[in-house]
Every structure is written in C-alpha cells, then in structure tokens.
Amino acid sequence: MTSSYGPRRHLASSPFKPDPEPTIEQFELDDLVSHDAYGVGRVIGKEADAVTVDFRTRTVRITSPFHKMSRL
C-alpha cells in the first residue's frame, strides 16, 4: 500500500531523528556516468533539472533526481 499524502512530517516532540533530506547528485559536462538501464555514457548537455547523456547507441535526456545514474 502506498500513501498519496507524500512524505511523513517530523513532529518536534518525537524522540526519533527526522529522515535526512535526499541529496541529488550534480553532474558536469564530460562526466562519465553509469545508468542502470542504458549502461556507461558521457554527459554532453546540462540543464537546471536534467542532463543529456551520450550512451554511444543513443542519446538520452535524463531528468532529476537521478536515481538510476551514478558518476564513475
């Protein structure tokens, strides 16, 4: 079952620490990256919320957050 209310808010009186904010990795031009579905590629374009990656067989625009992609 999934909740459609979004992330749970942290109560100030809770004895538990709040969940850390997820960090969104930033990529620069010519970074070598690995993608779960497309394999290894190179960043050839950068926008505010997306990057364009050349995977040799295809060029793909991938939007943020980059869950399936990491820098090599």
Side-chain angles (χ1 to χ4, degrees):
M1 182 171 149
T2 59
S3 173
S4 61
Y5 298 110
R8 298 176 75 177
R9 67 184 187 128
H10 179 72
L11 299 175
S13 61
S14 173
F16 302 103
K17 292 183 180 180
D19 291 335
E21 290 292 323
T23 57
I24 298 174
E25 190 166 1
Q26 299 295 316
F27 296 98
E28 298 297 326
L29 291 178
D30 292 327
D31 277 351
L32 198 58
V33 296
S34 175
H35 191 277
D36 290 351
Y38 302 115
V40 177
R42 185 170 303 276
V43 176
I44 59 171
K46 182 179 172 187
E47 301 170 34
D49 61 347
V51 292
T52 304
V53 182
D54 178 18
F55 292 105
R56 291 190 184 241
T57 58
R58 68 177 79 171
T59 301
V60 181
R61 181 178 180 268
I62 301 172
T63 57
S64 177
F66 311 104
H67 294 299
K68 297 183 178 184
M69 191 166 72
S70 61
R71 181 180 293 121
L72 296 178

PDB file of all heavy atoms in Angstrom, residues 6 10-13 15 20-21 35 37-38 44 48 53 57 68 70 72:
ATOM      1  N   GLY A   6       2.335  11.992   0.419  1.00  0.00           N
ATOM      2  CA  GLY A   6       3.705  12.462   0.372  1.00  0.00           C
ATOM      3  C   GLY A   6       4.480  11.998   1.588  1.00  0.00           C
ATOM      4  O   GLY A   6       4.036  11.141   2.347  1.00  0.00           O
ATOM      5  N   HIS A  10       7.923  15.365  10.321  1.00  0.00           N
ATOM      6  CA  HIS A  10       8.564  15.052  11.595  1.00  0.00           C
ATOM      7  C   HIS A  10       7.967  15.950  12.680  1.00  0.00           C
ATOM      8  O   HIS A  10       7.902  17.171  12.528  1.00  0.00           O
ATOM      9  CB  HIS A  10      10.067  15.289  11.495  1.00  0.00           C
ATOM     10  CG  HIS A  10      10.797  15.012  12.761  1.00  0.00           C
ATOM     11  ND1 HIS A  10      10.990  13.741  13.238  1.00  0.00           N
ATOM     12  CD2 HIS A  10      11.360  15.835  13.664  1.00  0.00           C
ATOM     13  CE1 HIS A  10      11.649  13.795  14.376  1.00  0.00           C
ATOM     14  NE2 HIS A  10      11.881  15.048  14.649  1.00  0.00           N
ATOM     15  N   LEU A  11       7.534  15.344  13.758  1.00  0.00           N
ATOM     16  CA  LEU A  11       6.989  16.106  14.882  1.00  0.00           C
ATOM     17  C   LEU A  11       8.117  16.549  15.802  1.00  0.00           C
ATOM     18  O   LEU A  11       9.023  15.773  16.117  1.00  0.00           O
ATOM     19  CB  LEU A  11       5.979  15.269  15.663  1.00  0.00           C
ATOM     20  CG  LEU A  11       4.758  14.798  14.871  1.00  0.00           C
ATOM     21  CD1 LEU A  11       3.898  13.883  15.723  1.00  0.00           C
ATOM     22  CD2 LEU A  11       3.962  15.987  14.400  1.00  0.00           C
ATOM     23  N   ALA A  12       8.078  17.780  16.257  1.00  0.00           N
ATOM     24  CA  ALA A  12       9.124  18.318  17.118  1.00  0.00           C
ATOM     25  C   ALA A  12       9.239  17.545  18.431  1.00  0.00           C
ATOM     26  O   ALA A  12      10.316  17.430  19.006  1.00  0.00           O
ATOM     27  CB  ALA A  12       8.857  19.795  17.397  1.00  0.00           C
ATOM     28  N   SER A  13       8.145  16.973  18.903  1.00  0.00           N
ATOM     29  CA  SER A  13       8.164  16.242  20.169  1.00  0.00           C
ATOM     30  C   SER A  13       8.599  14.785  20.005  1.00  0.00           C
ATOM     31  O   SER A  13       8.694  14.053  20.983  1.00  0.00           O
ATOM     32  CB  SER A  13       6.777  16.291  20.809  1.00  0.00           C
ATOM     33  OG  SER A  13       5.836  15.681  19.954  1.00  0.00           O
ATOM     34  N   PRO A  15      10.873  11.514  19.701  1.00  0.00           N
ATOM     35  CA  PRO A  15      12.208  11.153  20.189  1.00  0.00           C
ATOM     36  C   PRO A  15      13.121  10.657  19.062  1.00  0.00           C
ATOM     37  O   PRO A  15      14.313  10.461  19.273  1.00  0.00           O
ATOM     38  CB  PRO A  15      11.924  10.021  21.184  1.00  0.00           C
ATOM     39  CG  PRO A  15      10.678   9.398  20.676  1.00  0.00           C
ATOM     40  CD  PRO A  15       9.868  10.531  20.083  1.00  0.00           C
ATOM     41  N   PRO A  20      16.907  12.134   6.851  1.00  0.00           N
ATOM     42  CA  PRO A  20      17.746  13.139   6.187  1.00  0.00           C
ATOM     43  C   PRO A  20      17.173  13.495   4.819  1.00  0.00           C
ATOM     44  O   PRO A  20      16.533  12.666   4.164  1.00  0.00           O
ATOM     45  CB  PRO A  20      19.100  12.443   6.059  1.00  0.00           C
ATOM     46  CG  PRO A  20      18.784  10.991   6.115  1.00  0.00           C
ATOM     47  CD  PRO A  20      17.557  10.850   6.974  1.00  0.00           C
ATOM     48  N   GLU A  21      17.403  14.725   4.401  1.00  0.00           N
ATOM     49  CA  GLU A  21      16.967  15.159   3.079  1.00  0.00           C
ATOM     50  C   GLU A  21      17.785  14.412   2.033  1.00  0.00           C
ATOM     51  O   GLU A  21      18.996  14.277   2.169  1.00  0.00           O
ATOM     52  CB  GLU A  21      17.196  16.669   2.909  1.00  0.00           C
ATOM     53  CG  GLU A  21      16.282  17.521   3.745  1.00  0.00           C
ATOM     54  CD  GLU A  21      14.841  17.439   3.294  1.00  0.00           C
ATOM     55  OE1 GLU A  21      14.604  17.368   2.065  1.00  0.00           O
ATOM     56  OE2 GLU A  21      13.959  17.420   4.158  1.00  0.00           O
ATOM     57  N   HIS A  35      24.412   4.155 -15.962  1.00  0.00           N
ATOM     58  CA  HIS A  35      22.967   4.144 -15.791  1.00  0.00           C
ATOM     59  C   HIS A  35      22.498   2.697 -15.741  1.00  0.00           C
ATOM     60  O   HIS A  35      23.015   1.842 -16.470  1.00  0.00           O
ATOM     61  CB  HIS A  35      22.291   4.884 -16.951  1.00  0.00           C
ATOM     62  CG  HIS A  35      20.844   5.145 -16.737  1.00  0.00           C
ATOM     63  ND1 HIS A  35      19.887   4.193 -16.993  1.00  0.00           N
ATOM     64  CD2 HIS A  35      20.192   6.241 -16.281  1.00  0.00           C
ATOM     65  CE1 HIS A  35      18.700   4.699 -16.711  1.00  0.00           C
ATOM     66  NE2 HIS A  35      18.847   5.942 -16.269  1.00  0.00           N
ATOM     67  N   ALA A  37      19.814   1.207 -16.777  1.00  0.00           N
ATOM     68  CA  ALA A  37      19.178   0.683 -17.987  1.00  0.00           C
ATOM     69  C   ALA A  37      20.022   0.876 -19.245  1.00  0.00           C
ATOM     70  O   ALA A  37      20.002   0.032 -20.140  1.00  0.00           O
ATOM     71  CB  ALA A  37      17.821   1.343 -18.188  1.00  0.00           C
ATOM     72  N   TYR A  38      20.778   1.987 -19.344  1.00  0.00           N
ATOM     73  CA  TYR A  38      21.474   2.324 -20.582  1.00  0.00           C
ATOM     74  C   TYR A  38      22.959   1.970 -20.580  1.00  0.00           C
ATOM     75  O   TYR A  38      23.579   1.932 -21.625  1.00  0.00           O
ATOM     76  CB  TYR A  38      21.320   3.810 -20.894  1.00  0.00           C
ATOM     77  CG  TYR A  38      19.886   4.248 -21.025  1.00  0.00           C
ATOM     78  CD1 TYR A  38      19.331   5.138 -20.120  1.00  0.00           C
ATOM     79  CD2 TYR A  38      19.081   3.764 -22.047  1.00  0.00           C
ATOM     80  CE1 TYR A  38      18.005   5.542 -20.234  1.00  0.00           C
ATOM     81  CE2 TYR A  38      17.758   4.163 -22.175  1.00  0.00           C
ATOM     82  CZ  TYR A  38      17.238   5.051 -21.262  1.00  0.00           C
ATOM     83  OH  TYR A  38      15.932   5.447 -21.383  1.00  0.00           O
ATOM     84  N   ILE A  44      26.767  15.119 -22.089  1.00  0.00           N
ATOM     85  CA  ILE A  44      27.061  16.052 -23.186  1.00  0.00           C
ATOM     86  C   ILE A  44      26.232  17.321 -23.098  1.00  0.00           C
ATOM     87  O   ILE A  44      26.469  18.269 -23.841  1.00  0.00           O
ATOM     88  CB  ILE A  44      26.862  15.384 -24.564  1.00  0.00           C
ATOM     89  CG1 ILE A  44      25.425  14.885 -24.726  1.00  0.00           C
ATOM     90  CG2 ILE A  44      27.854  14.262 -24.767  1.00  0.00           C
ATOM     91  CD1 ILE A  44      25.099  14.405 -26.131  1.00  0.00           C
ATOM     92  N   ALA A  48      18.952  22.809 -15.865  1.00  0.00           N
ATOM     93  CA  ALA A  48      18.678  23.004 -14.442  1.00  0.00           C
ATOM     94  C   ALA A  48      18.169  21.726 -13.786  1.00  0.00           C
ATOM     95  O   ALA A  48      18.536  21.412 -12.654  1.00  0.00           O
ATOM     96  CB  ALA A  48      17.666  24.128 -14.252  1.00  0.00           C
ATOM     97  N   VAL A  53      22.800  12.594 -21.945  1.00  0.00           N
ATOM     98  CA  VAL A  53      23.915  11.657 -21.882  1.00  0.00           C
ATOM     99  C   VAL A  53      24.021  10.888 -23.192  1.00  0.00           C
ATOM    100  O   VAL A  53      23.020  10.411 -23.729  1.00  0.00           O
ATOM    101  CB  VAL A  53      23.724  10.665 -20.703  1.00  0.00           C
ATOM    102  CG1 VAL A  53      24.916   9.724 -20.605  1.00  0.00           C
ATOM    103  CG2 VAL A  53      23.527  11.406 -19.397  1.00  0.00           C
ATOM    104  N   THR A  57      25.025   4.240 -28.400  1.00  0.00           N
ATOM    105  CA  THR A  57      23.958   3.740 -29.272  1.00  0.00           C
ATOM    106  C   THR A  57      22.778   4.688 -29.313  1.00  0.00           C
ATOM    107  O   THR A  57      21.968   4.627 -30.227  1.00  0.00           O
ATOM    108  CB  THR A  57      23.461   2.365 -28.795  1.00  0.00           C
ATOM    109  OG1 THR A  57      23.007   2.463 -27.450  1.00  0.00           O
ATOM    110  CG2 THR A  57      24.565   1.327 -28.889  1.00  0.00           C
ATOM    111  N   LYS A  68      18.764   6.264 -10.968  1.00  0.00           N
ATOM    112  CA  LYS A  68      19.364   5.119 -11.627  1.00  0.00           C
ATOM    113  C   LYS A  68      20.713   5.432 -12.250  1.00  0.00           C
ATOM    114  O   LYS A  68      21.256   4.621 -12.988  1.00  0.00           O
ATOM    115  CB  LYS A  68      18.419   4.590 -12.710  1.00  0.00           C
ATOM    116  CG  LYS A  68      17.120   4.080 -12.177  1.00  0.00           C
ATOM    117  CD  LYS A  68      16.262   3.516 -13.259  1.00  0.00           C
ATOM    118  CE  LYS A  68      14.970   2.969 -12.696  1.00  0.00           C
ATOM    119  NZ  LYS A  68      14.166   2.333 -13.731  1.00  0.00           N
ATOM    120  N   SER A  70      24.795   7.069 -11.757  1.00  0.00           N
ATOM    121  CA  SER A  70      25.856   7.480 -10.830  1.00  0.00           C
ATOM    122  C   SER A  70      27.103   7.843 -11.619  1.00  0.00           C
ATOM    123  O   SER A  70      27.329   7.364 -12.731  1.00  0.00           O
ATOM    124  CB  SER A  70      26.156   6.355  -9.837  1.00  0.00           C
ATOM    125  OG  SER A  70      26.600   5.211 -10.527  1.00  0.00           O
ATOM    126  N   LEU A  72      31.030   7.824 -12.491  1.00  0.00           N
ATOM    127  CA  LEU A  72      32.132   6.856 -12.397  1.00  0.00           C
ATOM    128  C   LEU A  72      33.435   7.553 -12.093  1.00  0.00           C
ATOM    129  O   LEU A  72      33.614   8.692 -12.286  1.00  0.00           O
ATOM    130  CB  LEU A  72      32.272   6.073 -13.717  1.00  0.00           C
ATOM    131  CG  LEU A  72      31.085   5.195 -14.069  1.00  0.00           C
ATOM    132  CD1 LEU A  72      31.331   4.520 -15.414  1.00  0.00           C
ATOM    133  CD2 LEU A  72      30.864   4.136 -13.006  1.00  0.00           C
TER     134      LEU A  72
END
